[in-house]
Amino acid sequence: MKTLYAARFARVTENLARQGLTQMIVSDPPTIFYLTGVRIQPGERMLALLLRADGNHRFFVNTLFGTPEAGIPVENYSDGEDAPAKLLPWLERDKPLGIDKNWPARFLLRLMELDAAPAYRNASAACDDARAVKDAAEQEAMRASSKVNDDCMAEFEALIRPGITEKEMAEAIRGIYAAHGCSGVSFPPICGFGAHAADPHHDDTPLEAGQCVLIDVGGVYQDYCSDMTRTFFTGEPSEEERKVYELVRQAQAAAEALVKPGVRLCDLDAAARDLITEAGYGPYFNHRLGHFIGLEDHEAGDVSAVNENVVTPGMCFSIEPGIYLPGKFGVRIEDLVLVTEDGCEVLNHYPHELRVHPF
């Protein structure tokens, strides 16, 4: 097994031990990729990576997907076989079995019918906590992905012109990511004009003078996701638009400045939220400050008012305060930050200053 993946296996099994478990079934494809370098989307078929504290791991894969080089033994099964039963010889059947939160119930229920273990526990935290702290290779991947996103944002901003619709902009964004070597988008591009920037659920509309343009986008580059939001204006912004934009910019900067090991995630949220609330816009900042990111755009962990976990070196998450005035306009500014030993590295460098496109 490659040293990289062996270290990740070790972190997960150490986390399992803290939960009092010696075995776990991982079915989540991104987590399996994280642990093995093998990417399979199984559809309705069972995909299961059995982790054991004694190192006797097994990877259960339908023959449709061949026998991948996973660094651990692979057990194939065919369509028509009782797939969950294939795990029985490899389980410690007198000990509790950890299950990840994404394993389909039809497989878990079958294991329960087979009396595969005396108890079953949601052990997802063992994997989630490991993935939350990026190793050196992942940190480089996040830097590279975010650099591509910065480069692409310049081209996204150049799309701003009279008459372009939100749907046309979103489709053009997909093409720009592809041209920069991205395998896809982290999530469907969010393009909101004017009042639509305050409403994530809206119809397509053409861009007019005097509207704001909110662009929230990310691309998948070398397997890792980027994510960034910038808000632009067409024509001279109103006094309130300028006020709100500057408030969001200050809130975002205040939270970023606070990021360092030992700080609670909820305190980062408060740093941005308190500024916005004191200015009278508290009700219009209606989401958490950020989310964790890596192989997936939204990974386990968030930067919210209720998350009292502390920041750890290697964590990577978004800082994205916003103010959304229904029927008027919305502003959001978002960067990704990577936690270092004594602070953080901001991964996005596209300008934060208010930018106006004359129409």
Side-chain angles (χ1 to χ4, degrees):
M1 182 184 295
K2 292 181 181 178
T3 302
L4 173 67
Y5 297 121
R8 294 176 182 179
F9 268 86
R11 283 199 295 273
V12 173
T13 52
E14 287 169 6
N15 290 343
L16 271 181
R18 295 188 186 97
Q19 297 183 37
L21 293 170
T22 61
Q23 57 184 346
M24 175 186 182
I25 292 172
V26 179
S27 69
D28 175 52
T31 301
I32 289 174
F33 176 78
Y34 168 79
L35 288 169
T36 67
V38 174
R39 187 179 292 281
I40 295 174
Q41 292 296 335
E44 75 278 11
R45 295 176 172 87
M46 187 188 80
L47 182 69
L49 176 62
L50 174 63
L51 304 181
R52 289 182 40 149
D54 62 6
N56 193 17
H57 313 302
R58 286 293 186 278
F59 191 18
F60 298 86
V61 181
N62 190 282
T63 54
L64 176 68
F65 306 110
T67 306
E69 291 292 333
I72 58 174
V74 174
E75 302 290 332
N76 285 123
Y77 71 91
S78 301
D79 287 349
E81 287 190 82
D82 186 351
K86 298 284 286 187
L87 281 79
L88 295 180
W90 307 103
L91 295 174
E92 298 176 286
R93 299 187 62 181
D94 60 340
K95 296 181 180 180
L97 177 61
I99 305 290
D100 81 16
K101 59 182 179 288
N102 293 324
W103 211 37
R106 63 183 179 275
F107 301 135
L108 173 57
L109 291 171
R110 178 57 180 151
L111 273 190
M112 296 172 73
E113 291 173 354
L114 294 168
D115 292 323
Y120 304 85
R121 299 180 189 169
N122 182 349
S124 288
C127 299
D128 293 342
D129 291 350
R131 285 178 57 186
V133 178
K134 272 49 183 177
D135 58 33
E138 291 184 292
Q139 291 179 31
E140 282 303 311
M142 290 304 303
R143 292 186 184 100
S145 186
S146 293
K147 171 63 167 60
V148 169
N149 212 20
D150 276 344
D151 294 342
C152 288
M153 183 60 80
E155 296 184 43
F156 303 156
E157 185 177 0
L159 294 171
I160 296 174
R161 63 178 186 271
I164 189 171
T165 70
E166 292 158 328
K167 183 179 294 185
E168 288 170 343
M169 180 175 283
E171 286 304 308
I173 284 170
R174 290 178 183 271
I176 290 169
Y177 276 129
H180 280 259
C182 292
S183 58
V185 292
S186 305
F187 53 92
I190 298 171
C191 303
F193 303 162
H196 288 182
D199 179 8
H201 306 290
H202 55 73
D203 298 323
D204 195 28
T205 189
L207 182 60
E208 300 176 357
Q211 292 182 319
C212 67
V213 178
L214 188 152
I215 302 176
D216 184 352
V217 286
V220 182
Y221 184 74
Q222 296 179 354
D223 299 310
Y224 281 78
C225 294
S226 60
D227 192 356
M228 175 170 50
T229 307
R230 293 294 184 266
T231 305
F232 308 99
F233 292 89
T234 61
E236 186 62 26
S238 68
E239 182 177 341
E240 185 175 35
E241 286 173 330
R242 285 187 174 275
K243 176 183 177 181
V244 166
Y245 188 93
E246 182 60 20
L247 181 58
V248 171
R249 191 182 68 81
Q250 290 175 356
Q252 208 248 2
E256 284 187 356
L258 195 62
V259 179
K260 64 180 180 179
V263 172
R264 297 185 305 173
L265 290 159
C266 59
D267 293 332
L268 301 180
D269 184 282
R273 196 171 303 279
D274 288 351
L275 277 175
I276 290 173
T277 299
E278 289 166 7
Y281 289 95
Y284 305 107
F285 178 15
N286 55 16
H287 56 75
R288 63 194 178 188
L289 180 65
H291 58 84
F292 282 49
I293 185 171
L295 289 170
E296 298 172 279
D297 178 54
H298 283 212
E299 296 192 339
D302 63 18
V303 188
S304 68
V306 298
N307 191 346
E308 297 184 355
N309 291 332
V310 299
V311 172
T312 301
M315 286 182 172
C316 190
F317 48 79
S318 66
I319 300 290
E320 49 179 304
I323 295 175
Y324 315 97
L325 303 181
K328 298 173 72 174
F329 65 94
V331 172
R332 180 162 66 252
I333 301 173
E334 174 188 15
D335 291 329
L336 299 185
V337 297
L338 176 63
V339 183
T340 63
E341 294 295 329
D342 57 1
C344 79
E345 176 184 350
V346 180
L347 298 183
N348 297 109
H349 304 286
Y350 208 75
H352 295 80
E353 292 74 20
L354 189 149
R355 295 164 74 94
V356 178
H357 288 255
F359 265 43

